[in-house]
Amino acid sequence: MSTTISEKESREKAARHVSAERPILEFGGAWEYAPAPESKDHVRLESRYGLFINGAFVAAKAKGHFDTINPATEEKLAEVAEAGAADVDAAVRAAEEAYRRRWSKLKPAERGKYIYRIARLLQEKSREFAVLESLNGGKPIKESRDVDIPLAVAHFFYHAGWADKLSYAFPRRTVSPIGVCGQIIPWNFPLLMAAWKLAPALACGNTAVLKPAETTPLTALHLARICQEADLPPGVVNIVPGAGETGAHIVNHPRVAKIAFTGSTEVGKLIQRATAGTGKRLTLELGGKAANIIFEDAPLDQAVEGIVNGIYFNQGHVCCAGSRLLVQESVAETVVRKLAHRIETLRLGDPLDKNTDVGAINSKMQLEKIRELVSCGVEEGAAIHQSACPIPSRGFWFPPTFFTDVAQSNRIAREEIFGPVLAIMTFRTPDEAVEKANNIPYGLSAGVWTDKGSKIFQITSKMKAGVVWANTFNKFDPASPFGGYKESGFGREGGVHGLRAYVELT
Ligand code: NDP
């Protein structure tokens, strides 16, 4: 850990804290898991990737290449071409040409067939994509294999079905596409975010220029290969890796009709300013600081699993992560005790190991941000509890952590940490829980745990959050719209609501 407490110190402190909770195994000694690494032999990694423009991989016109690494080992995986202004312009023109001449004129059922083809090819190659996602992003293989890739496939299947049924989605209206969509995505769910963006855009008859995040471009580039295999008409999908500057070129391009952005609230505000008055459509899916509320009548063991899923899934790199835990005072001690024990059982390490629960932090920069906020939590007087798990010597890692004695005003209770760090606060009455949950500039998601159905309805209807889960957390479905309130953005992705952003209705 950075300034105030060293990692060693905090782990020793955490070990002392949880030692009383460790179960004593009768046969003596703790379980050791044998390594169970997923093979990477079937992943066809290129040493160098070009930009995907007009159906082909091409070199960048002016800029060079940047390295993309494995955050678990810091080893270089490949070099990736960086798109500059001229490349973005070429991509937008290719998308515009494809839109005008081909894609918007195609019979909707034919468009649907291409999207089905992409879904099927992705499904066939799901193992390759899962390994690639874990290699490039640091997430555990069991998550990329069981969550990211199946959900990405499901998004393509779901939207393929909509392509020729848009008149049912918008009855008594004439539905037309809008043109070239500029799409900018983050590094936490690289392929899934690409699917969330591309599938509805294509189904509605638009073409796209997509920029993956700088640290995780590989699955988007392999998706480009799938577009080639699916014989998708050239220019319908264009993929232009690069840094924030590349994203800004897309946002500012005059021929782009719509911007769809997922990322930080800070960049979302810049994009909103840049697009204001241009007539460009805009949807923003930004940060969050979700309240996960545990009532005293909740099934506590299940709730603890929900807390773990809510904050340690994908190392907490989740915009809708349940990063603020609100526990009813009468059960707070029990929940904290159970959670302290549970985080000791989480296995941190090689993302490609099938037994790994917590993988690598996505980048050095993100690790520094997590460390800075955790140090701030300690300085502000909150009590830190951290898993005593061993930390690999190379790569970017942060142990599962939670804070108790957190004040509402603490930075760890208000700012998005985007790491495996939970802030725990208590409440006495349902009204206080709602008040505390909503007392935040964000409004993306929330969770409620209680045995009473009536309480679920009473509380969820008062939450200022786009998605509220009851007695579960982090559940996604392409048919279910996802999006935020307040500083978490606007617009919905998924479901009929998600189609609305990609069509013109008259
Ligand atoms: P950013 O908002 O910086 O990045 C999201 C995407 O936007 C990336 O592709 C990024 O490129 C691009 N981008 C950056 N600057 C610009 C710009 N000026 N114009 C257009 N596009 C731009 O998020 P970070 O990746 O830096 O993460 C920082 C924080 O954002 C996290 O700690 C977390 O709090 C939050 N976040 C929220 C996410 C969510 O799902 N809501 C997802 C990811 C992050 P590049 O990759 O090169 O920076």
Side-chain angles (χ1 to χ4, degrees):
M1 202 140 329
S2 56
T3 50
T4 53
I5 44 167
S6 71
E7 259 169 38
K8 188 166 172 287
E9 251 181 307
S10 61
R11 278 203 297 280
E12 280 169 4
K13 191 174 161 194
R16 280 198 301 278
H17 176 82
V18 295
S19 57
E21 305 303 329
R22 276 181 190 284
I24 295 157
L25 300 175
E26 299 253 316
F27 49 86
W31 284 98
E32 278 305 330
Y33 282 76
E38 174 67 59
S39 159
K40 1 177 221 194
D41 300 347
H42 54 292
V43 179
R44 280 189 302 135
L45 257 183
E46 313 271 339
S47 57
R48 188 172 259 205
Y49 290 82
L51 311 169
F52 185 65
I53 297 178
N54 208 21
F57 285 95
V58 296
K61 288 186 200 295
K63 299 218 171 207
H65 291 79
F66 62 91
D67 292 346
T68 189
I69 65 160
N70 177 347
T73 59
E74 297 174 59
E75 280 161 9
K76 174 172 155 181
L77 292 171
E79 289 177 6
V80 176
E82 181 177 355
D87 303 301
V88 169
D89 184 56
V92 173
R93 286 182 190 282
E96 195 175 34
E97 194 69 2
Y99 174 77
R100 225 167 26 85
R101 288 181 182 274
R102 191 80 199 273
W103 197 246
S104 64
K105 302 225 160 55
L106 210 59
K107 278 194 179 143
E110 294 303 310
R111 279 200 315 259
K113 283 185 197 167
Y114 281 107
I115 307 170
Y116 274 124
R117 216 179 282 168
I118 293 172
R120 280 197 301 270
L121 285 166
L122 198 55
Q123 197 169 40
E124 271 169 29
K125 295 177 200 292
S126 54
R127 213 167 135 228
E128 173 188 338
F129 272 85
V131 171
L132 198 55
E133 201 72 305
S134 286
L135 277 175
N136 202 196
K139 61 175 70 199
I141 186 74
K142 66 178 177 190
E143 290 178 7
S144 42
R145 182 196 61 199
D146 299 345
V147 182
D148 292 62
I149 313 303
L151 273 175
V153 171
H155 266 269
F156 280 110
F157 273 124
Y158 174 79
H159 286 95
W162 271 123
D164 61 349
K165 298 174 198 70
L166 294 173
S167 57
Y168 296 98
F170 306 103
R172 296 179 297 282
R173 308 290 295 270
T174 305
V175 186
S176 353
I178 52 180
V180 178
C181 300
Q183 308 186 312
I184 300 163
I185 56 171
W187 42 261
N188 52 347
F189 293 93
L191 182 72
L192 183 57
M193 288 302 104
W196 277 30
K197 300 281 180 272
L198 293 173
L202 267 50
C204 293
N206 307 288
T207 56
V209 176
L210 178 129
K211 188 194 96 63
E214 193 182 355
T215 56
T216 53
L218 293 184
T219 43
L221 290 164
H222 280 236
L223 181 63
R225 280 188 189 165
I226 282 191
C227 293
Q228 286 179 322
E229 271 184 63
D231 272 335
L232 192 71
V236 172
V237 167
N238 302 273
I239 298 190
V240 287
E245 201 188 317
T246 309
H249 292 316
I250 297 176
V251 169
N252 296 324
H253 199 290
R255 315 294 296 173
V256 169
K258 179 206 157 46
I259 297 293
F261 172 79
T262 298
S264 62
T265 297
E266 190 189 348
V267 174
K269 285 179 181 175
L270 288 178
I271 293 177
Q272 191 167 13
R273 261 183 233 122
T275 51
T278 62
K280 281 179 193 156
R281 300 266 199 101
L282 178 64
T283 43
L284 297 175
E285 200 269 90
L286 309 176
K289 190 78 185 174
N292 202 2
I293 306 175
I294 316 284
F295 284 100
E296 61 190 359
D297 57 11
L300 293 188
D301 288 323
Q302 277 161 262
V304 168
E305 289 311 305
I307 297 166
V308 167
N309 177 23
I311 188 63
Y312 304 121
F313 168 65
N314 200 31
Q315 296 72 248
H317 300 329
V318 184
C319 47
C320 52
S323 51
R324 280 186 306 147
L325 185 69
L326 295 172
V327 196
Q328 196 150 17
E329 212 171 79
S330 50
V331 291
E333 216 182 297
T334 312
V335 168
V336 168
R337 182 167 40 81
K338 284 176 184 283
L339 183 63
H341 171 236
R342 182 67 177 92
I343 64 169
E344 285 303 306
T345 66
L346 294 174
R347 291 175 297 270
L348 176 147
D350 180 7
L352 286 188
D353 193 306
K354 290 167 209 149
N355 291 322
T356 293
D357 298 306
V358 180
I361 298 301
N362 183 266
S363 66
K364 190 161 186 266
M365 215 171 88
Q366 189 59 27
L367 179 59
E368 279 161 10
K369 182 185 165 189
I370 296 168
R371 285 177 168 164
E372 195 251 317
L373 277 161
V374 166
S375 297
C376 179
V378 174
E379 275 166 32
E380 286 184 321
I384 187 168
H385 306 250
Q386 229 166 17
S387 162
C389 60
I391 301 284
S393 55
R394 291 202 67 192
F396 314 128
W397 307 93
F398 200 84
T401 300
F402 66 85
F403 280 99
T404 52
D405 300 333
V406 178
Q408 287 256 36
S409 56
N410 289 167
R411 278 183 71 197
I412 51 168
R414 305 202 64 75
E415 292 183 29
E416 193 179 31
I417 301 174
F418 229 61
V421 183
L422 175 70
I424 304 182
M425 288 161 283
T426 57
F427 68 88
R428 286 183 185 168
T429 64
D431 284 347
E432 187 188 348
V434 170
E435 189 69 30
K436 284 182 165 167
N438 289 337
N439 179 19
I440 193 96
Y442 294 113
L444 191 56
S445 64
V448 178
W449 295 80
T450 168
D451 201 27
K452 306 274 180 300
S454 56
K455 204 187 274 176
I456 289 174
F457 288 118
Q458 186 203 6
I459 300 295
T460 53
S461 62
K462 292 180 182 162
M463 304 299 290
K464 292 274 178 284
V467 181
V468 188
W469 288 289
N471 291 334
T472 186
F473 211 91
N474 273 341
K475 287 280 181 289
F476 306 95
D477 190 288
S480 173
F482 184 91
Y485 281 99
K486 302 191 281 187
E487 294 208 4
S488 292
F490 49 79
R492 294 291 177 264
E493 293 187 289
V496 179
H497 301 72
L499 299 171
R500 181 65 190 87
Y502 289 97
V503 292
E504 193 72 60
L505 297 180
T506 44

